[in-house]
Amino acid sequence: MYEDIKKGFSVKENPTILAIESSCDETAAAVITGRREILSNEIMSSATEHIKFGGVVPEIASRAHTAAISLVVEKAVKNANISLSDIDAVCVTYGAGLLGALLVGVSYAKSLAYSLGVPLVPVSHIRGHLSAAYLVDKDLKPPFISLLASGGHTAVIVVKDPLNYKILGQTLDDAVGEAFDKVARVLGLPYPGGPNIEKLALSGKDTVPLPKMLKGGGGYDFSYSGLKTAVINYVHTKEQRGENVDKADVANSFQRAALDVLIEKSVRACKEYGLDTLTVGGGVAANGYLREELSKICAYKSIKLVLPPKNLCTDNAAMIASEGLIQYRNGNFASLNLNAQARVELG
Ligand code: KG4
Ligand code: ZN
């Protein structure tokens, strides 16, 4: 029945979009306008519940989403100063992520869209990260180069139009955020690893010999497993010899090695494709070293850098609304059969 109904929806010029995100350990909801003004952007995290396990425990995350989702959506509607009847579309992350966690958001979004009689818009979390840039620069228009740096993905992409991505290169093994998290564990730092490595790196120096990353030679692909293994070997060898490991130096050296390669490839892609705009998305884009170094080199090379604020780089629902708006305008509506997907294609 809903299959037929969804075809009857009209696309409004300036819709009010509600988005829901529950792919990992953050339950989030946001409201934006068709001009991408953020009216509300709410988030509740179960991160502290996962610390003692050293990573996200899917069952704990799903339970936390179930407890939080109504509250977070209500808050998003209230703080946006709208009522439910003002909502023109309900967008939801359907993948990639933890299945049980995603299902909480997808089920909630389905019932809300159905009860309000508005379209249900399926959104890829990965595309969501990239669409955070449109919230920052309202006049941003493809073509441009995008760097995606998250816990699950690492890629350099040419965005030809808002729906059409060409992947120039991506990780061949671990994603950059994953490497941060694994190295953090070896250094005895708590989850989430990325921000804790960044903090520790501030008091360290780039003195630890680590393998060269696939810069020019690797085309646009990345490989993080060699770097991760080199750090693990370095730490274990030192420990076996009873030598002191300067963890701050390891953190600093690893951070540089892991991030310099992202900077080099993104800037090279801009040059090679003759594009003067670079956008960045994903949790790792919250890293201060990456932000500073990218800002410096882009200023030097006259590349316009669209760098979302940190809270729009890490998981949030405003970015899902931003991508949802693109899908809404394209009439990409889901039926009530929409299912969660652990993996989705990047392109
Ligand atoms: O984009 P995101 O929030 O979730 C995914 O879609 O994967 O990214 C999470 C990743 C984690 O691996 C986390 O350690 C990393 O982003 N991260 C950071 C920083 N903040 C988060 N990595 C380096 N420096 C940070 N400040
Ligand atoms: Zn994410």
Side-chain angles (χ1 to χ4, degrees):
M1 177 185 74
Y2 197 78
E3 274 295 338
D4 298 329
I5 295 173
K6 75 171 184 164
K7 291 188 186 112
F9 289 126
S10 59
V11 172
K12 290 194 178 174
E13 178 72 22
N14 185 21
T16 300
I17 300 278
L18 172 81
I20 295 172
E21 151 68 35
S22 70
S23 66
C24 193
D25 56 347
E26 261 96 31
T27 319
V31 177
I32 69 164
T33 67
R35 296 181 194 91
R36 284 201 173 80
E37 293 136 337
I38 301 177
L39 301 184
S40 64
N41 191 17
E42 308 302 325
I43 194 155
M44 269 176 85
S45 175
S46 61
T48 52
E49 295 178 49
H50 306 285
I51 289 175
K52 64 173 176 282
F53 302 102
V56 177
V57 181
E59 180 62 22
I60 294 177
S62 305
R63 286 177 194 213
H65 286 310
T66 309
I69 194 142
S70 299
L71 222 72
V72 172
V73 172
E74 274 169 30
K75 221 168 143 194
V77 172
K78 184 165 176 273
N79 290 347
N81 219 1
I82 60 163
S83 54
L84 282 173
S85 57
D86 295 320
I87 294 168
D88 295 309
V90 177
C91 306
V92 66
T93 306
Y94 71 94
L98 304 169
L99 266 185
L102 287 162
L103 276 171
V104 178
V106 167
S107 310
Y108 194 95
K110 276 183 191 177
S111 35
L112 186 59
Y114 185 66
S115 65
L116 295 177
V118 300
L120 173 69
V121 180
V123 176
S124 148
H125 181 86
I126 311 164
R127 280 182 174 256
H129 272 303
L130 293 171
S131 287
Y134 294 113
L135 294 166
V136 180
D137 180 351
K138 309 265 189 297
D139 300 319
L140 178 67
K141 286 196 176 55
F144 50 79
I145 299 289
S146 281
L147 167 64
L148 172 64
S150 74
H153 295 85
T154 312
V156 176
I157 298 160
V158 183
V159 179
K160 294 179 174 174
D161 67 59
L163 292 163
N164 188 353
Y165 291 178
K166 178 176 180 230
I167 300 165
L168 296 180
Q170 56 188 321
T171 184
L172 303 171
D173 36 57
D174 293 354
V176 59
E178 202 179 344
F180 267 85
D181 294 336
K182 287 177 178 168
V183 166
R185 247 191 234 208
V186 175
L187 295 179
L189 300 172
Y191 168 84
N196 286 314
I197 291 208
E198 180 184 353
K199 219 185 286 167
L200 185 60
L202 289 175
S203 55
K205 294 181 294 300
D206 182 17
T207 52
V208 177
L210 293 172
K212 291 241 176 307
M213 297 290 290
L214 294 171
K215 284 199 180 167
Y220 289 103
D221 283 336
F222 301 90
S223 168
Y224 280 100
S225 93
L227 177 63
K228 174 196 70 186
T229 309
V231 174
I232 294 171
N233 288 344
Y234 176 82
V235 172
H236 286 171
T237 308
K238 283 261 184 191
E239 282 171 352
Q240 275 162 8
R241 288 185 189 150
E243 291 172 12
N244 178 44
V245 178
D246 189 325
K247 292 185 177 177
D249 284 355
V250 176
N252 187 295
S253 307
F254 163 75
Q255 178 172 268
R256 275 171 195 260
L259 300 180
D260 284 351
V261 68
L262 298 181
I263 297 168
E264 190 268 335
K265 286 184 197 269
S266 315
V267 169
R268 178 152 51 87
C270 289
K271 200 161 172 242
E272 188 178 331
Y273 286 80
L275 297 171
D276 61 2
T277 303
L278 172 65
T279 77
V280 188
V284 179
N287 182 281
Y289 173 80
L290 180 70
R291 299 172 74 86
E292 254 177 52
E293 294 302 308
L294 258 182
S295 303
K296 272 192 255 169
I297 192 157
C298 286
Y300 179 67
K301 302 251 179 193
S302 303
I303 295 170
K304 183 175 131 191
L305 176 65
V306 184
L307 188 55
K310 293 181 183 185
N311 69 323
L312 295 180
C313 291
T314 48
D315 287 350
N316 68 88
M319 70 182 198
I320 302 302
S322 180
E323 172 63 19
L325 183 62
I326 293 171
Q327 300 298 332
Y328 171 85
R329 291 201 163 126
N330 196 44
N332 181 14
F333 304 149
S335 77
L336 290 185
N337 295 326
L338 177 68
N339 210 346
Q341 274 176 232
R343 299 174 67 90
V344 294
E345 286 305 314
L346 178 54

